[in-house]
Each structure stands twice: as structure tokens, then as C-alpha cells.
Amino acid sequence: METEEQAKNRFQAELEFVQCLANPNYLNFLAQRGVFREKTFINYLKYLLYWKEPEYAKYLKYPHCLHMLELLQYEHFRKELVNAQCAKFIDEQQLLHWQHYSRKRMRLQQALAEQQQPQQQPLPHGNATTK
């Protein structure tokens, strides 16, 4: 039976590892060392799919890791990761996605700020407030 401290340590280690999966260069590193050919590691990747559940996913900083975890369930994808060009392509696509998302989010925030600004009425000319 796992103690509370052991469970906490396992949670942290698995959280960190799952988030590392968002890094295509790390995936390429693992693939080149043959890690993705090991049955026990493939089973571990399958086990880690529980991170897709909302109660766990809320702790993730890098949501791309869930997509990579899903793709790692496929042997063809694992084999392709040996190729550095594959990792480079994924890295470039992530950057493009992030840039598009950032620009889109900034435009939405600007539009929201403009909507929330109170419409300023022009001040009357002269001494309208003096009697």
C-alpha cells in the first residue's frame, strides 16, 4: 500500500514526465535510445492516459503533452520520432499554433476591453455648472 507521501511523489513525477512529452526534441531523444520499443514503457504510456481526465488535466501547464501522449499510443508515430526532421516539424507546428493562439487571444482581449470602456460623454462648454 502506498503512503500519502509516496502518492504525492508519484503524482509529481508523473506530472513532470507527462509535461515533458510536449517537447518533441525530448521525444526524439527517447526514440533514438529505443525507449519506445520497450513493451513496459509502452504500457506506461497507456497507463498515463488518465491525465486526460479533467481532475488531472487541470494541473498541466502544457496541454500539447496530452496530444503527444495520445499520438504515442500509435506505433507508427513512435517509430517516426527517431527521425530528427519529424521532431523539428512538430516543434515548428507547435510554435505556429502558439503564435496564432497568442495573436487571437490578444485580439479577443482588446475587443473585450473596448466593449467594457464606458462611453465618455463630451463635457459641456463654458461654465454650465456655475449659477
Side-chain angles (χ1 to χ4, degrees), residues 106-117:
M106 189 171 38
R107 279 182 284 195
L108 287 172
Q109 288 174 336
Q110 286 173 342
L112 184 60
E114 290 170 5
Q115 288 176 351
Q116 292 177 345
Q117 284 181 343

Side-chain angles (χ1 to χ4, degrees), residues 3 13 41:
T3 68
F41 192 80

Side-chain angles (χ1 to χ4, degrees), residues 4-5 8 15 26-27 33-34 40-41 54 64-66 69 76 88 94 111 127:
E4 188 175 328
E5 185 68 23
K8 181 182 174 186
L15 172 62
Y26 179 62
L27 298 178
R33 276 140 192 85
T40 53
F41 192 80
H64 276 113
C65 68
L66 293 178
L69 179 60
H76 180 73
K88 185 177 188 281
Q94 285 180 333
N127 288 343

Side-chain angles (χ1 to χ4, degrees), residues 83-95:
N83 182 350
Q85 284 302 107
C86 177
K88 185 177 188 281
F89 176 77
I90 294 169
D91 193 40
E92 290 169 352
Q93 293 304 305
Q94 285 180 333
L95 180 61

Side-chain angles (χ1 to χ4, degrees), residues 3-50:
T3 68
E4 188 175 328
E5 185 68 23
Q6 289 170 326
K8 181 182 174 186
N9 289 339
R10 183 173 53 83
F11 176 83
Q12 282 185 305
E14 289 176 0
L15 172 62
E16 289 176 20
F17 178 73
V18 166
Q19 292 191 109
C20 286
L21 299 179
N23 182 342
N25 295 308
Y26 179 62
L27 298 178
N28 175 252
F29 171 84
L30 293 176
Q32 288 182 348
R33 276 140 192 85
V35 175
F36 294 141
R37 290 190 301 263
E38 298 172 14
K39 186 68 175 159
T40 53
F41 192 80
I42 294 166
N43 289 338
Y44 182 61
L45 291 172
K46 204 171 290 187
Y47 157 77
L48 290 173
L49 286 171
Y50 77 86

